[in-house]
Amino acid sequence: MKDVYLKQFKEKERRFFNFFQPLAEEVTSCESPEVGFRSRAEFGVFIKQNSLNYFMIKDKKKETLDYLEICHPKINGLMDELKNTLRNKTNLLDKLFSCSFQVSKGGESVICLNYHKEIDQEWEKSATDIANILKTNLIGRSRKKKITIGKDFIQENYDLGDENLKINLYENCFSQPNPYICEKMLQWTRDAKSHKDDILELHCGIGTFTLLLSRLYKQVLATENSRPSIRGLEDNIKVAASANISHARLSGKETLEALNEKRIFRRLSNINIKDLKLNSVFLDPPRTGLDEYTKTNIKKFDTIFYISCGFESLQKDLQSIKTHRIKKASFFDQFPYTDHMESAILLERI
């Protein structure tokens, strides 16, 4: 497994270095553990002889599985325990079509069961027994209904060497799937910062980087377009007791339109954005990259942090940002055994 991993890692590293070495002052890379690195996973399920079976789609075909080496050992253990515990539990197996698992490095877990039927109090009573047996948080979802047994999140503790960062990871919100690589990305961000003025963060999600940025900068303005993620961010700000984070539910483009006084948003009415000294911007957009308005308007910032999970879209975006030089570029192997490449880029105005 190690040899297979290193071969694919070296190939992605080669692609990354070939592109960035002529452009960047510093180019680095970071390996992932070759097994047990993935902390969340979702599987389709089918029921056969009153027993739960897991599958994933590979080459457009269902592939049955009971174990995945890439998953955290806790996930593999829960997959087996859930299958054994649900055997012959007709009311919990009926119309079940998928399930997801999320775990922390410390062993917390949440399982979500998704149904093509309405779940009710009878379901909740049976599911509570299962949650107690497995010692896990458990969620049931059906159309327009959610039942939570325990919590709908786990707390991850990122070890940054000389400090820790705790954050609640919510079941229905995006979070970094590889916590070991996420720790390295957080360390890179901390070490790359160059001043202590205010910073704008676009696509902030539940606040994984937001909480760190609040320790590094005087004020943080963080925006995100997803309602569940914004609720998660608000909870994480409260848990961390961070007093220097302002936030709003806005897309990246909408945020920049507000800063440019092109549009007025009631969602920003409690934030005096004119008082913020925003010399830096931190971006973590979708895999498709940045829209044209954002690419044009981030050029006014002295410093740009660009986190990307789409290497091709990153290359394209950087070609249009000629106002800045690439000071640091790092490849983080967030997604081993796939072609996907996670990148972290620091750009400074020329």
Side-chain angles (χ1 to χ4, degrees), residues 308-334:
S308 169
C309 60
F311 190 57
E312 288 75 20
S313 60
L314 171 66
Q315 291 173 295
K316 183 179 178 181
D317 289 346
L318 290 176
Q319 289 173 1
S320 66
I321 306 176
K322 303 297 185 182
T323 51
H324 291 64
R325 71 178 186 276
I326 303 174
K327 188 171 183 181
K328 295 177 183 288
S330 189
F331 160 51
F332 295 92
D333 201 10
Q334 177 89 254

PDB file of all heavy atoms in Angstrom, residues 308-334:
ATOM      1  N   SER A 308      -7.246  25.793  -2.743  1.00  0.00           N
ATOM      2  CA  SER A 308      -7.956  25.240  -3.901  1.00  0.00           C
ATOM      3  C   SER A 308      -7.972  23.718  -3.862  1.00  0.00           C
ATOM      4  O   SER A 308      -6.955  23.083  -3.569  1.00  0.00           O
ATOM      5  CB  SER A 308      -7.280  25.702  -5.195  1.00  0.00           C
ATOM      6  OG  SER A 308      -7.791  24.996  -6.304  1.00  0.00           O
ATOM      7  N   CYS A 309      -9.142  23.135  -4.204  1.00  0.00           N
ATOM      8  CA  CYS A 309      -9.227  21.684  -4.376  1.00  0.00           C
ATOM      9  C   CYS A 309      -9.387  21.325  -5.845  1.00  0.00           C
ATOM     10  O   CYS A 309      -9.633  20.161  -6.177  1.00  0.00           O
ATOM     11  CB  CYS A 309     -10.371  21.100  -3.549  1.00  0.00           C
ATOM     12  SG  CYS A 309     -11.998  21.752  -3.962  1.00  0.00           S
ATOM     13  N   GLY A 310      -9.247  22.320  -6.739  1.00  0.00           N
ATOM     14  CA  GLY A 310      -9.332  22.079  -8.180  1.00  0.00           C
ATOM     15  C   GLY A 310      -8.087  22.626  -8.867  1.00  0.00           C
ATOM     16  O   GLY A 310      -7.973  23.832  -9.098  1.00  0.00           O
ATOM     17  N   PHE A 311      -7.153  21.759  -9.200  1.00  0.00           N
ATOM     18  CA  PHE A 311      -5.856  22.216  -9.721  1.00  0.00           C
ATOM     19  C   PHE A 311      -6.001  22.915 -11.064  1.00  0.00           C
ATOM     20  O   PHE A 311      -5.356  23.944 -11.307  1.00  0.00           O
ATOM     21  CB  PHE A 311      -4.897  21.025  -9.836  1.00  0.00           C
ATOM     22  CG  PHE A 311      -3.486  21.415 -10.141  1.00  0.00           C
ATOM     23  CD1 PHE A 311      -2.798  22.294  -9.317  1.00  0.00           C
ATOM     24  CD2 PHE A 311      -2.838  20.910 -11.256  1.00  0.00           C
ATOM     25  CE1 PHE A 311      -1.482  22.658  -9.587  1.00  0.00           C
ATOM     26  CE2 PHE A 311      -1.521  21.266 -11.542  1.00  0.00           C
ATOM     27  CZ  PHE A 311      -0.843  22.141 -10.706  1.00  0.00           C
ATOM     28  N   GLU A 312      -6.851  22.396 -11.932  1.00  0.00           N
ATOM     29  CA  GLU A 312      -7.024  23.020 -13.252  1.00  0.00           C
ATOM     30  C   GLU A 312      -7.659  24.406 -13.129  1.00  0.00           C
ATOM     31  O   GLU A 312      -7.226  25.360 -13.785  1.00  0.00           O
ATOM     32  CB  GLU A 312      -7.869  22.123 -14.163  1.00  0.00           C
ATOM     33  CG  GLU A 312      -7.161  20.870 -14.643  1.00  0.00           C
ATOM     34  CD  GLU A 312      -7.036  19.808 -13.560  1.00  0.00           C
ATOM     35  OE1 GLU A 312      -7.806  19.864 -12.568  1.00  0.00           O
ATOM     36  OE2 GLU A 312      -6.168  18.918 -13.702  1.00  0.00           O
ATOM     37  N   SER A 313      -8.682  24.530 -12.285  1.00  0.00           N
ATOM     38  CA  SER A 313      -9.321  25.839 -12.118  1.00  0.00           C
ATOM     39  C   SER A 313      -8.372  26.817 -11.435  1.00  0.00           C
ATOM     40  O   SER A 313      -8.372  28.019 -11.754  1.00  0.00           O
ATOM     41  CB  SER A 313     -10.620  25.705 -11.313  1.00  0.00           C
ATOM     42  OG  SER A 313     -10.388  25.171 -10.030  1.00  0.00           O
ATOM     43  N   LEU A 314      -7.545  26.342 -10.525  1.00  0.00           N
ATOM     44  CA  LEU A 314      -6.545  27.205  -9.876  1.00  0.00           C
ATOM     45  C   LEU A 314      -5.571  27.748 -10.914  1.00  0.00           C
ATOM     46  O   LEU A 314      -5.270  28.963 -10.932  1.00  0.00           O
ATOM     47  CB  LEU A 314      -5.797  26.419  -8.806  1.00  0.00           C
ATOM     48  CG  LEU A 314      -4.576  27.115  -8.192  1.00  0.00           C
ATOM     49  CD1 LEU A 314      -4.992  28.346  -7.402  1.00  0.00           C
ATOM     50  CD2 LEU A 314      -3.801  26.146  -7.296  1.00  0.00           C
ATOM     51  N   GLN A 315      -5.062  26.893 -11.771  1.00  0.00           N
ATOM     52  CA  GLN A 315      -4.129  27.340 -12.808  1.00  0.00           C
ATOM     53  C   GLN A 315      -4.759  28.427 -13.674  1.00  0.00           C
ATOM     54  O   GLN A 315      -4.125  29.441 -13.986  1.00  0.00           O
ATOM     55  CB  GLN A 315      -3.707  26.148 -13.677  1.00  0.00           C
ATOM     56  CG  GLN A 315      -2.835  25.125 -12.959  1.00  0.00           C
ATOM     57  CD  GLN A 315      -2.604  23.893 -13.814  1.00  0.00           C
ATOM     58  OE1 GLN A 315      -3.521  23.146 -14.121  1.00  0.00           O
ATOM     59  NE2 GLN A 315      -1.371  23.689 -14.215  1.00  0.00           N
ATOM     60  N   LYS A 316      -6.006  28.193 -14.053  1.00  0.00           N
ATOM     61  CA  LYS A 316      -6.711  29.166 -14.895  1.00  0.00           C
ATOM     62  C   LYS A 316      -6.901  30.482 -14.167  1.00  0.00           C
ATOM     63  O   LYS A 316      -6.686  31.565 -14.737  1.00  0.00           O
ATOM     64  CB  LYS A 316      -8.061  28.586 -15.308  1.00  0.00           C
ATOM     65  CG  LYS A 316      -8.857  29.469 -16.244  1.00  0.00           C
ATOM     66  CD  LYS A 316     -10.175  28.805 -16.631  1.00  0.00           C
ATOM     67  CE  LYS A 316     -11.010  29.703 -17.526  1.00  0.00           C
ATOM     68  NZ  LYS A 316     -12.315  29.066 -17.887  1.00  0.00           N
ATOM     69  N   ASP A 317      -7.296  30.430 -12.893  1.00  0.00           N
ATOM     70  CA  ASP A 317      -7.521  31.660 -12.119  1.00  0.00           C
ATOM     71  C   ASP A 317      -6.227  32.462 -11.960  1.00  0.00           C
ATOM     72  O   ASP A 317      -6.230  33.697 -12.065  1.00  0.00           O
ATOM     73  CB  ASP A 317      -8.096  31.326 -10.741  1.00  0.00           C
ATOM     74  CG  ASP A 317      -9.541  30.849 -10.814  1.00  0.00           C
ATOM     75  OD1 ASP A 317     -10.179  31.024 -11.875  1.00  0.00           O
ATOM     76  OD2 ASP A 317     -10.028  30.304  -9.810  1.00  0.00           O
ATOM     77  N   LEU A 318      -5.135  31.767 -11.685  1.00  0.00           N
ATOM     78  CA  LEU A 318      -3.869  32.467 -11.449  1.00  0.00           C
ATOM     79  C   LEU A 318      -3.367  33.185 -12.707  1.00  0.00           C
ATOM     80  O   LEU A 318      -2.673  34.212 -12.608  1.00  0.00           O
ATOM     81  CB  LEU A 318      -2.804  31.484 -10.955  1.00  0.00           C
ATOM     82  CG  LEU A 318      -3.012  30.924  -9.544  1.00  0.00           C
ATOM     83  CD1 LEU A 318      -1.939  29.893  -9.219  1.00  0.00           C
ATOM     84  CD2 LEU A 318      -2.999  32.042  -8.504  1.00  0.00           C
ATOM     85  N   GLN A 319      -3.719  32.666 -13.863  1.00  0.00           N
ATOM     86  CA  GLN A 319      -3.286  33.305 -15.107  1.00  0.00           C
ATOM     87  C   GLN A 319      -3.877  34.698 -15.279  1.00  0.00           C
ATOM     88  O   GLN A 319      -3.319  35.520 -16.009  1.00  0.00           O
ATOM     89  CB  GLN A 319      -3.669  32.422 -16.300  1.00  0.00           C
ATOM     90  CG  GLN A 319      -2.845  31.148 -16.400  1.00  0.00           C
ATOM     91  CD  GLN A 319      -3.352  30.198 -17.485  1.00  0.00           C
ATOM     92  OE1 GLN A 319      -4.324  30.504 -18.184  1.00  0.00           O
ATOM     93  NE2 GLN A 319      -2.708  29.047 -17.629  1.00  0.00           N
ATOM     94  N   SER A 320      -4.998  34.976 -14.606  1.00  0.00           N
ATOM     95  CA  SER A 320      -5.639  36.281 -14.747  1.00  0.00           C
ATOM     96  C   SER A 320      -5.260  37.240 -13.621  1.00  0.00           C
ATOM     97  O   SER A 320      -5.716  38.386 -13.604  1.00  0.00           O
ATOM     98  CB  SER A 320      -7.162  36.111 -14.798  1.00  0.00           C
ATOM     99  OG  SER A 320      -7.644  35.635 -13.555  1.00  0.00           O
ATOM    100  N   ILE A 321      -4.449  36.779 -12.667  1.00  0.00           N
ATOM    101  CA  ILE A 321      -4.041  37.642 -11.550  1.00  0.00           C
ATOM    102  C   ILE A 321      -2.579  38.022 -11.754  1.00  0.00           C
ATOM    103  O   ILE A 321      -1.657  37.438 -11.162  1.00  0.00           O
ATOM    104  CB  ILE A 321      -4.253  36.935 -10.189  1.00  0.00           C
ATOM    105  CG1 ILE A 321      -5.699  36.438 -10.066  1.00  0.00           C
ATOM    106  CG2 ILE A 321      -3.936  37.887  -9.034  1.00  0.00           C
ATOM    107  CD1 ILE A 321      -5.979  35.640  -8.805  1.00  0.00           C
ATOM    108  N   LYS A 322      -2.353  38.979 -12.624  1.00  0.00           N
ATOM    109  CA  LYS A 322      -0.992  39.403 -12.976  1.00  0.00           C
ATOM    110  C   LYS A 322      -0.464  40.499 -12.051  1.00  0.00           C
ATOM    111  O   LYS A 322       0.698  40.903 -12.159  1.00  0.00           O
ATOM    112  CB  LYS A 322      -0.959  39.904 -14.427  1.00  0.00           C
ATOM    113  CG  LYS A 322      -1.433  38.885 -15.458  1.00  0.00           C
ATOM    114  CD  LYS A 322      -0.543  37.657 -15.504  1.00  0.00           C
ATOM    115  CE  LYS A 322      -0.952  36.716 -16.625  1.00  0.00           C
ATOM    116  NZ  LYS A 322      -0.129  35.494 -16.657  1.00  0.00           N
ATOM    117  N   THR A 323      -1.320  40.992 -11.155  1.00  0.00           N
ATOM    118  CA  THR A 323      -0.935  42.082 -10.258  1.00  0.00           C
ATOM    119  C   THR A 323      -0.130  41.585  -9.059  1.00  0.00           C
ATOM    120  O   THR A 323       0.431  42.389  -8.310  1.00  0.00           O
ATOM    121  CB  THR A 323      -2.197  42.778  -9.728  1.00  0.00           C
ATOM    122  OG1 THR A 323      -3.093  41.778  -9.198  1.00  0.00           O
ATOM    123  CG2 THR A 323      -2.887  43.548 -10.844  1.00  0.00           C
ATOM    124  N   HIS A 324      -0.082  40.262  -8.860  1.00  0.00           N
ATOM    125  CA  HIS A 324       0.568  39.690  -7.682  1.00  0.00           C
ATOM    126  C   HIS A 324       1.598  38.639  -8.096  1.00  0.00           C
ATOM    127  O   HIS A 324       1.483  38.010  -9.146  1.00  0.00           O
ATOM    128  CB  HIS A 324      -0.480  39.019  -6.779  1.00  0.00           C
ATOM    129  CG  HIS A 324      -1.418  39.975  -6.105  1.00  0.00           C
ATOM    130  ND1 HIS A 324      -2.307  40.764  -6.809  1.00  0.00           N
ATOM    131  CD2 HIS A 324      -1.615  40.251  -4.781  1.00  0.00           C
ATOM    132  CE1 HIS A 324      -3.015  41.501  -5.951  1.00  0.00           C
ATOM    133  NE2 HIS A 324      -2.614  41.200  -4.723  1.00  0.00           N
ATOM    134  N   ARG A 325       2.583  38.475  -7.251  1.00  0.00           N
ATOM    135  CA  ARG A 325       3.552  37.396  -7.446  1.00  0.00           C
ATOM    136  C   ARG A 325       3.227  36.261  -6.476  1.00  0.00           C
ATOM    137  O   ARG A 325       2.661  36.491  -5.406  1.00  0.00           O
ATOM    138  CB  ARG A 325       4.976  37.891  -7.210  1.00  0.00           C
ATOM    139  CG  ARG A 325       5.313  38.204  -5.758  1.00  0.00           C
ATOM    140  CD  ARG A 325       6.779  38.637  -5.615  1.00  0.00           C
ATOM    141  NE  ARG A 325       7.160  38.815  -4.227  1.00  0.00           N
ATOM    142  CZ  ARG A 325       6.955  39.919  -3.525  1.00  0.00           C
ATOM    143  NH1 ARG A 325       6.352  40.957  -4.085  1.00  0.00           N
ATOM    144  NH2 ARG A 325       7.350  40.001  -2.268  1.00  0.00           N
ATOM    145  N   ILE A 326       3.568  35.061  -6.857  1.00  0.00           N
ATOM    146  CA  ILE A 326       3.333  33.894  -6.005  1.00  0.00           C
ATOM    147  C   ILE A 326       4.528  33.734  -5.067  1.00  0.00           C
ATOM    148  O   ILE A 326       5.625  33.379  -5.504  1.00  0.00           O
ATOM    149  CB  ILE A 326       3.127  32.627  -6.848  1.00  0.00           C
ATOM    150  CG1 ILE A 326       1.964  32.821  -7.816  1.00  0.00           C
ATOM    151  CG2 ILE A 326       2.874  31.421  -5.933  1.00  0.00           C
ATOM    152  CD1 ILE A 326       1.785  31.675  -8.798  1.00  0.00           C
ATOM    153  N   LYS A 327       4.296  34.007  -3.802  1.00  0.00           N
ATOM    154  CA  LYS A 327       5.377  33.896  -2.823  1.00  0.00           C
ATOM    155  C   LYS A 327       5.547  32.469  -2.343  1.00  0.00           C
ATOM    156  O   LYS A 327       6.672  31.981  -2.189  1.00  0.00           O
ATOM    157  CB  LYS A 327       5.099  34.829  -1.637  1.00  0.00           C
ATOM    158  CG  LYS A 327       6.276  34.906  -0.668  1.00  0.00           C
ATOM    159  CD  LYS A 327       6.066  35.984   0.380  1.00  0.00           C
ATOM    160  CE  LYS A 327       7.302  36.075   1.287  1.00  0.00           C
ATOM    161  NZ  LYS A 327       7.127  37.097   2.340  1.00  0.00           N
ATOM    162  N   LYS A 328       4.440  31.786  -2.049  1.00  0.00           N
ATOM    163  CA  LYS A 328       4.501  30.408  -1.570  1.00  0.00           C
ATOM    164  C   LYS A 328       3.443  29.576  -2.284  1.00  0.00           C
ATOM    165  O   LYS A 328       2.329  30.041  -2.520  1.00  0.00           O
ATOM    166  CB  LYS A 328       4.244  30.333  -0.052  1.00  0.00           C
ATOM    167  CG  LYS A 328       5.291  31.013   0.823  1.00  0.00           C
ATOM    168  CD  LYS A 328       4.874  30.931   2.294  1.00  0.00           C
ATOM    169  CE  LYS A 328       5.835  31.657   3.208  1.00  0.00           C
ATOM    170  NZ  LYS A 328       7.110  30.931   3.351  1.00  0.00           N
ATOM    171  N   ALA A 329       3.790  28.358  -2.604  1.00  0.00           N
ATOM    172  CA  ALA A 329       2.838  27.408  -3.188  1.00  0.00           C
ATOM    173  C   ALA A 329       3.099  26.045  -2.567  1.00  0.00           C
ATOM    174  O   ALA A 329       4.240  25.576  -2.544  1.00  0.00           O
ATOM    175  CB  ALA A 329       2.997  27.338  -4.704  1.00  0.00           C
ATOM    176  N   SER A 330       2.038  25.427  -2.063  1.00  0.00           N
ATOM    177  CA  SER A 330       2.210  24.120  -1.416  1.00  0.00           C
ATOM    178  C   SER A 330       1.114  23.155  -1.866  1.00  0.00           C
ATOM    179  O   SER A 330      -0.057  23.525  -1.963  1.00  0.00           O
ATOM    180  CB  SER A 330       2.190  24.270   0.106  1.00  0.00           C
ATOM    181  OG  SER A 330       2.561  23.049   0.738  1.00  0.00           O
ATOM    182  N   PHE A 331       1.516  21.923  -2.154  1.00  0.00           N
ATOM    183  CA  PHE A 331       0.601  20.849  -2.507  1.00  0.00           C
ATOM    184  C   PHE A 331       0.354  19.988  -1.270  1.00  0.00           C
ATOM    185  O   PHE A 331       1.285  19.482  -0.653  1.00  0.00           O
ATOM    186  CB  PHE A 331       1.192  20.017  -3.651  1.00  0.00           C
ATOM    187  CG  PHE A 331       0.599  18.635  -3.793  1.00  0.00           C
ATOM    188  CD1 PHE A 331      -0.778  18.452  -3.860  1.00  0.00           C
ATOM    189  CD2 PHE A 331       1.424  17.522  -3.861  1.00  0.00           C
ATOM    190  CE1 PHE A 331      -1.320  17.181  -3.982  1.00  0.00           C
ATOM    191  CE2 PHE A 331       0.897  16.254  -3.986  1.00  0.00           C
ATOM    192  CZ  PHE A 331      -0.476  16.078  -4.047  1.00  0.00           C
ATOM    193  N   PHE A 332      -0.916  19.840  -0.906  1.00  0.00           N
ATOM    194  CA  PHE A 332      -1.312  19.010   0.231  1.00  0.00           C
ATOM    195  C   PHE A 332      -2.138  17.837  -0.302  1.00  0.00           C
ATOM    196  O   PHE A 332      -3.181  18.059  -0.917  1.00  0.00           O
ATOM    197  CB  PHE A 332      -2.148  19.822   1.228  1.00  0.00           C
ATOM    198  CG  PHE A 332      -1.385  20.937   1.886  1.00  0.00           C
ATOM    199  CD1 PHE A 332      -1.381  22.208   1.334  1.00  0.00           C
ATOM    200  CD2 PHE A 332      -0.656  20.710   3.045  1.00  0.00           C
ATOM    201  CE1 PHE A 332      -0.679  23.246   1.933  1.00  0.00           C
ATOM    202  CE2 PHE A 332       0.049  21.731   3.648  1.00  0.00           C
ATOM    203  CZ  PHE A 332       0.044  23.009   3.103  1.00  0.00           C
ATOM    204  N   ASP A 333      -1.705  16.619  -0.051  1.00  0.00           N
ATOM    205  CA  ASP A 333      -2.391  15.469  -0.622  1.00  0.00           C
ATOM    206  C   ASP A 333      -3.612  15.105   0.219  1.00  0.00           C
ATOM    207  O   ASP A 333      -3.635  14.101   0.930  1.00  0.00           O
ATOM    208  CB  ASP A 333      -1.440  14.278  -0.741  1.00  0.00           C
ATOM    209  CG  ASP A 333      -1.923  13.267  -1.770  1.00  0.00           C
ATOM    210  OD1 ASP A 333      -2.877  13.592  -2.511  1.00  0.00           O
ATOM    211  OD2 ASP A 333      -1.357  12.164  -1.843  1.00  0.00           O
ATOM    212  N   GLN A 334      -4.619  15.939   0.102  1.00  0.00           N
ATOM    213  CA  GLN A 334      -5.868  15.760   0.835  1.00  0.00           C
ATOM    214  C   GLN A 334      -6.636  14.516   0.361  1.00  0.00           C
ATOM    215  O   GLN A 334      -7.358  13.884   1.133  1.00  0.00           O
ATOM    216  CB  GLN A 334      -6.738  17.004   0.629  1.00  0.00           C
ATOM    217  CG  GLN A 334      -8.100  16.982   1.260  1.00  0.00           C
ATOM    218  CD  GLN A 334      -8.111  17.506   2.671  1.00  0.00           C
ATOM    219  OE1 GLN A 334      -8.232  16.736   3.610  1.00  0.00           O
ATOM    220  NE2 GLN A 334      -7.990  18.812   2.828  1.00  0.00           N
TER     221      GLN A 334
END
